[in-house]
DNA sequence: ATGGTCGTTAAACGA
């Protein structure tokens, strides 16, 4: 089974590229983030035509997560237990809930996650991000307590660069989110709860990124960040036989829309 | 050059 995650930065704009890649990549389950549309606006038809079922949650032009699967899509769950909401305003609460979607696909529990960006260290969104990650860790640890063997994949855009080598220049990120000690501690806490990065062992080294800013010719200048991850429970990690970051999908192509600013990340399971 | 590029939706604002 091949499982992938991709922050698509609008599925309506990107459907042609996502579908084109799905046809070529032999991916069984694709988790998407930043779909940027409502459930009614999600372009279901091209996925169905390829044999994929899709679950999606999105209530406006921000956030939105989805899971497309051709190996079954059961027990769909919007949000995880204890997931913090951003605001008391109803429409923004809904936005917060559109950051996590769970489903069981081919016997694997898959969560498509769009971790809050945090904006700046002083912004209330930063505290929200840390709260969100703490709640995820606690809830996910609870799942493993119930059944330590179950294969669970926590995949998506974590908006954290865990290591210095995961950004193109640490000096450029001084005082910024994504590299702060509390964010990195939150990422490590997932590992302490036995959810480990199953892609890193197959994609080691500096200069291996999953995201490149649209501005300043960042992709061409190789100025990227590694912020998209697949974390696996022990029952999932033991089945991993390979992984890749599909950098080519970040490349601009003639005759089609702009690429997402993120590349897909794929893991192969026995 | 205190910008640059994308996406949303129609003037900013978020990433």
């Amino acid at each position: 089974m091949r499982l992938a995650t991709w922050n698509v930065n609008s599925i309506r704009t990107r459907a042609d590229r996502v579908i084109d890649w799905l046809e070529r990549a032999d991916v069984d389950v694709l988790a998407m983030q930043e779909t940027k549309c409502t459930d009614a606006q999600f372009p279901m038809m091209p996925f169905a035509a390829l044999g994929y079922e899709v679950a999606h949650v999105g209530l406006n032009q921000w956030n939105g997560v989805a899971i497309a699967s051709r190996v079954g899509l059961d027990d769909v769950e919007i949000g995880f237990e204890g997931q913090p909401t951003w605001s008391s305003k109803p429409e923004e609460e809904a936005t917060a809930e559109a950051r996590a979607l769970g489903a069981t696909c081919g016997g694997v529990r898959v969560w498509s996650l769009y971790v809050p960006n945090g904006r700046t260290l002083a912004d209330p969104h930063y505290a929200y991000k840390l709260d969100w990650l703490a709640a995820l860790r606690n809830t996910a640890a609870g799942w493993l307590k119930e059944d330590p063997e179950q294969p669970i994949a926590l995949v998506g855009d974590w908006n954290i660069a865990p290591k210095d080598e995961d950004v193109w220049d640490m000096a450029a990120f001084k005082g910024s989110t994504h590299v702060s000690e509390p964010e990195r501690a939150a990422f490590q806490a997932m590992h302490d709860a036995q959810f480990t990065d199953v892609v890193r062992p197959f994609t080691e080294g500096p200069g291996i990124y999953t995201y490149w800013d649209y501005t300043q010719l960042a992709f061409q200048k190789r100025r990227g960040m590694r912020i998209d991850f697949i974390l696996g429970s022990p029952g999932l990690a033991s089945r991993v036989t390979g992984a890749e970051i599909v950098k080519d999908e970040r490349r601009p192509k003639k005759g089609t829309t702009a690429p997402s600013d993120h590349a897909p990340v794929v893991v192969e399971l026995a």
Side-chain angles (χ1 to χ4, degrees):
Chain A
M1 173 169 151
R2 280 164 63 79
L3 165 66
T5 181
W6 197 358
N7 179 323
V8 296
N9 186 21
S10 170
I11 190 59
R12 285 177 292 171
T13 295
R14 212 73 60 213
D16 57 345
R17 293 189 65 128
V18 173
I19 291 298
D20 177 66
W21 180 68
L22 264 184
E23 282 189 308
R24 290 181 282 110
D26 194 31
V27 159
D28 298 297
V29 182
L30 174 63
M32 288 165 271
Q33 301 85 37
E34 283 203 77
T35 56
K36 292 190 172 176
C37 65
T38 64
D39 295 347
Q41 291 170 323
F42 192 99
M44 293 286 178
M45 281 199 1
F47 286 90
L50 289 182
Y52 291 84
E53 297 174 82
V54 179
H56 175 260
V57 58
L59 292 109
N60 51 39
Q61 69 269 45
W62 297 288
N63 309 331
V65 286
I67 298 173
S69 171
R70 64 181 187 188
V71 290
L73 188 66
D74 302 309
D75 305 319
V76 173
E77 197 176 343
I78 295 170
F80 55 83
E81 178 79 38
Q83 183 183 337
T85 50
W86 161 243
S87 165
S88 58
K89 290 187 198 168
E91 67 272 19
E92 292 188 349
E93 264 182 41
T95 301
E97 289 164 1
R99 291 179 178 276
L101 184 73
T104 300
C105 309
V108 175
R109 188 66 182 162
V110 177
W111 281 90
S112 181
L113 304 171
Y114 179 47
V115 175
N117 177 284
R119 301 188 180 180
T120 67
L121 298 185
D123 196 293
H125 282 89
Y126 178 71
Y128 166 55
K129 179 182 194 173
L130 295 178
D131 288 347
W132 202 96
L133 288 162
L136 175 63
R137 180 226 144 99
N138 289 340
T139 297
W143 297 330
L144 279 191
K145 217 166 185 178
E146 285 173 24
D147 178 4
E149 305 301 317
Q150 63 178 314
I152 306 173
L154 307 180
V155 315
D157 178 354
W158 292 75
N159 273 316
I160 301 171
K163 300 170 74 172
D164 287 358
E165 68 180 36
D166 296 336
V167 298
W168 57 275
D169 179 12
M170 268 305 286
F173 286 84
K174 191 174 166 62
S176 300
T177 59
H178 295 64
V179 299
S180 75
E181 188 279 326
E183 288 166 280
R184 288 179 168 179
F187 192 75
Q188 178 57 43
M190 297 305 305
H191 289 68
D192 298 340
Q194 299 196 71
F195 290 90
T196 57
D197 183 344
V198 296
V199 174
R200 176 92 63 178
F202 297 91
T203 57
E204 290 278 10
I208 311 278
Y209 307 130
T210 65
Y211 162 86
W212 295 260
D213 196 285
Y214 279 128
T215 67
Q216 297 177 280
L217 299 172
F219 183 72
Q220 291 85 336
K221 293 178 179 173
R222 299 174 181 162
R223 295 178 174 179
M225 304 171 74
R226 188 198 283 241
I227 56 176
D228 299 87
F229 298 97
I230 296 178
L231 302 193
S233 66
L236 183 117
S238 64
R239 289 171 50 185
V240 174
T241 58
E244 63 176 317
I245 297 163
V246 190
K247 187 180 173 183
D248 197 53
E249 291 304 314
R250 175 61 179 82
R251 209 174 299 283
K253 284 182 201 167
K254 284 185 176 151
T256 187
T257 48
S260 169
D261 42 5
H262 295 250
V265 180
V266 187
V267 69
E268 178 98 33
L269 303 175

